[in-house]
Amino acid sequence: MIWNETIECMDREEMRKLQSIRLKRVVEHAYHNTPFYRKKMQEAGISPEDIESVDDISKLPFTTKQDLRDNYPFGLMAVPMSEVVRLHASSGTTGKPIVVGYTRKDLSIWSEVVARCLYAYGVTKEDIVQVSYGYGLFTGGLGLHDGVQKIGGTVIPMSSGNTQKQIQLMHDFGAKALACTPSYALFLGETIRDSGLPREEFQLKVGIFGAEPWTENMRKEIEESLGIKAYDIYGLTEISGPGVGCECEYQDGTHLWEDHFYPEIIDPETLQPLPAGEQGELVFTTITKEGMPMLRYRTRDLTSLHYETCRCGRTAVRMSRILGRSDDMLIIRGVNVFPSQVESVILELPEFEPHYVIHVDRINNVDTFQVQVEVRPEYYSDEMNKILELKKKITDRLQSVIGLQPDVKIVEPRSIERSMGKAKRVFDNRKLV
């Protein structure tokens, strides 16, 4: 099923012409309305007139996540705040979130690309979709919500958590599709199995999963557990949110909606563009975004791009499965977590030594997140209530900075192994194979 055949099946040469027109327009918009981009382009010795087509995109400077942090909160907006109708955000290494603003047109485009994804999964206006991504500043919940409304479907705006109620309403309301993280989908499957509700009474057929890494083995387990076909949906807050790309029925790569998000693959070391099919770092330029356009944004995702026409008939470029990231960010239950975030909290609290270890694992198909931290000798006590007070203090602070509650383990002074070289702080034991 195809939602927008004109665009999704557009001839490659016609697509390049459209991309060139839109790239020129967005570069002019960013140059004249965002001081950050104007300065970067001037420092690179280029002007909007130098960008005549997508062939010239490599002349443009890159944008990084650090640039978003440095311009917190609204320094990268390209329209007056009176034209920004929604703000979304994700976590950053210092505790300050990455902030993105959307105009009405931006939201309309976002719902359109999510609608393309839903149709590719076989979801129509006749169907009920349970959205179990988090609502709020996280883009997952409202992103899928607006896409379902775009196709005329019925939304169950569950958000995340409250698993028993999730299952009850999924059963009673007859949801056909479920949108959530893959690890939560596995947990839902286990809970359904233990609930006593016969799986055949559920009408669930389609899973829409993203926001964290998952594998083909996990896909098979989800499909068997829930009796569905599980699809990947790709997106990132800085570019739009979920709906930047999706799988089709053949699941032979992720189709990227390149009429709005122009993709490149670069060598993460040399920063030079790589040819089609070669593995490197994925870079996006938003060629239609008004509120906060991104020029050559480095995603840090490692993948490759393939331009052959898909068996489904779409000509939209396909992205192979993401193999990892070129930085040290952890994705835990769909939330971006940086070890430096944990360290910054520990260093600001006088009761704790700057020695810690992070353990990430996947138990019963749910990510676990434990932080072991040493207490200073003068604060260490055999009294349980004092240790519990320290644990609550650091747990609350970590949750406020990261947006995720860790399992904090307070350990005795000098109990964490010291290193004479580069300390290994993070142990990610999740098996992504």
Side-chain angles (χ1 to χ4, degrees):
M1 293 173 58
I2 295 176
W3 170 258
N4 189 337
E5 186 172 0
T6 302
I7 292 293
E8 296 176 48
C9 303
M10 183 177 281
D11 175 79
R12 291 299 323 166
E13 192 56 39
E14 289 299 311
M15 176 61 74
R16 286 186 67 80
K17 289 178 182 177
L18 177 63
Q19 290 170 332
S20 295
I21 292 169
R22 290 180 169 180
L23 176 63
K24 289 175 65 175
R25 190 181 301 151
V26 79
V27 168
E28 290 178 0
H29 176 56
Y31 183 89
H32 293 295
N33 296 288
T34 310
F36 166 80
Y37 279 123
R38 183 162 60 250
K39 181 182 178 184
K40 288 202 79 165
M41 290 177 66
Q42 288 172 347
E43 288 174 348
I46 60 172
S47 68
E49 290 72 32
D50 295 314
I51 309 300
E52 297 181 356
S53 73
V54 288
D55 294 329
D56 298 316
I57 197 167
S58 60
K59 297 177 182 178
L60 293 169
F62 291 104
T63 309
T64 67
K65 191 180 288 282
Q66 189 62 47
D67 293 326
L68 276 76
R69 298 186 194 113
D70 291 344
N71 287 276
Y72 173 89
F74 305 138
L76 290 181
M77 300 298 177
V79 297
M81 288 304 294
S82 59
E83 296 181 26
V84 173
V85 297
R86 189 190 295 174
L87 294 171
H88 278 286
S90 65
S91 61
T93 58
T94 63
K96 287 184 178 179
I98 301 302
V99 179
V100 180
Y102 302 75
T103 65
R104 290 191 184 280
K105 181 182 176 184
D106 293 336
L107 292 181
S108 177
I109 289 171
W110 189 9
S111 64
E112 150 75 16
V113 294
V114 174
R116 296 181 196 178
C117 297
L118 293 169
Y119 249 61
Y121 306 145
V123 179
T124 72
K125 66 179 181 179
E126 307 297 331
D127 298 319
I128 298 172
V129 180
Q130 184 156 320
V131 177
S132 300
Y133 286 113
Y135 278 66
L137 290 175
F138 177 59
T139 55
L142 285 170
L144 264 295
H145 184 111
D146 288 350
V148 176
Q149 289 189 330
K150 178 76 172 180
I151 67 171
T154 303
V155 185
I156 307 174
M158 281 299 303
S159 194
S160 55
N162 203 346
T163 303
Q164 293 298 330
K165 191 172 184 180
Q166 295 264 5
I167 292 168
Q168 192 67 52
L169 296 190
M170 186 190 302
H171 174 272
D172 295 350
F173 292 179
K176 176 183 177 179
L178 167 69
C180 65
T181 64
S183 57
Y184 191 54
L186 281 170
F187 184 57
L188 285 170
E190 289 180 348
T191 310
I192 288 173
R193 186 186 62 214
D194 297 338
S195 70
L197 291 170
R199 199 180 74 177
E200 57 270 21
E201 291 184 5
F202 288 80
Q203 297 181 42
L204 208 60
K205 303 295 181 188
V206 174
I208 305 163
F209 307 128
E212 66 184 13
W214 59 308
T215 63
E216 286 300 318
N217 287 341
M218 189 181 290
R219 188 205 300 269
K220 291 172 186 173
E221 194 168 342
I222 291 171
E223 289 181 338
E224 185 175 333
S225 174
L226 289 172
I228 61 174
K229 189 163 184 179
Y231 293 94
D232 192 22
I233 189 166
Y234 178 77
L236 55 165
T237 300
E238 300 91 328
I239 300 304
S240 175
V244 172
C246 68
E247 293 179 310
C248 66
E249 60 188 290
Y250 293 100
Q251 298 179 315
D252 186 20
T254 297
H255 289 282
L256 300 176
W257 306 129
E258 52 183 320
D259 56 316
H260 296 296
F261 318 110
Y262 184 82
E264 302 173 80
I265 297 291
I266 64 166
D267 184 313
E269 299 297 328
T270 67
L271 305 185
Q272 294 302 306
L274 295 174
E278 288 200 23
Q279 181 185 320
E281 181 182 334
L282 181 63
V283 171
F284 277 115
T285 297
T286 58
I287 54 177
T288 56
K289 207 166 184 186
E290 293 181 332
M292 192 172 146
M294 289 280 104
L295 302 183
R296 304 194 80 196
Y297 180 75
R298 295 185 60 185
T299 67
R300 303 287 184 172
D301 289 332
L302 299 174
T303 183
S304 57
L305 297 177
H306 305 273
Y307 289 87
E308 303 83 9
T309 300
C310 183
R311 285 176 288 168
C312 69
R314 292 177 178 85
T315 56
V317 63
R318 281 171 291 148
M319 174 181 75
S320 61
R321 181 175 284 279
I322 293 170
L323 300 176
R325 295 181 59 84
S326 58
D327 59 14
D328 64 350
M329 185 181 77
L330 298 164
I331 302 179
I332 304 172
R333 289 176 239 149
V335 176
N336 297 347
V337 178
F338 294 83
S340 53
Q341 288 176 298
V342 175
E343 185 167 293
S344 68
V345 170
I346 292 171
L347 291 174
E348 74 182 33
L349 297 176
E351 296 91 342
F352 301 99
E353 297 277 11
H355 301 293
Y356 65 95
V357 178
I358 298 170
H359 288 281
V360 183
D361 209 335
R362 183 163 285 145
I363 298 175
N364 295 326
N365 298 314
V366 176
D367 287 343
T368 62
F369 175 32
Q370 184 188 77
V371 177
Q372 296 181 10
V373 58
E374 279 187 13
V375 67
R376 292 186 185 276
E378 60 268 34
Y379 290 99
Y380 187 73
S381 173
D382 291 332
E383 295 180 34
M384 183 60 68
N385 63 328
K386 291 185 177 180
I387 295 298
L388 289 175
E389 286 175 7
L390 287 176
K391 180 176 180 177
K392 183 178 188 308
K393 180 176 182 178
I394 192 169
T395 301
D396 290 349
R397 181 60 184 144
L398 284 167
Q399 184 172 13
S400 71
V401 170
I402 297 170
L404 190 69
Q405 181 172 312
D407 171 25
V408 173
K409 184 178 181 181
I410 306 294
V411 299
E412 296 178 10
R414 302 202 61 79
S415 61
I416 292 177
E417 183 179 355
R418 306 303 196 250
S419 173
M420 296 298 107
K422 187 176 180 181
K424 183 170 176 57
R425 304 285 195 194
V426 180
F427 298 86
D428 190 345
N429 297 316
R430 293 172 293 184
K431 298 295 188 290
L432 292 174
V433 296

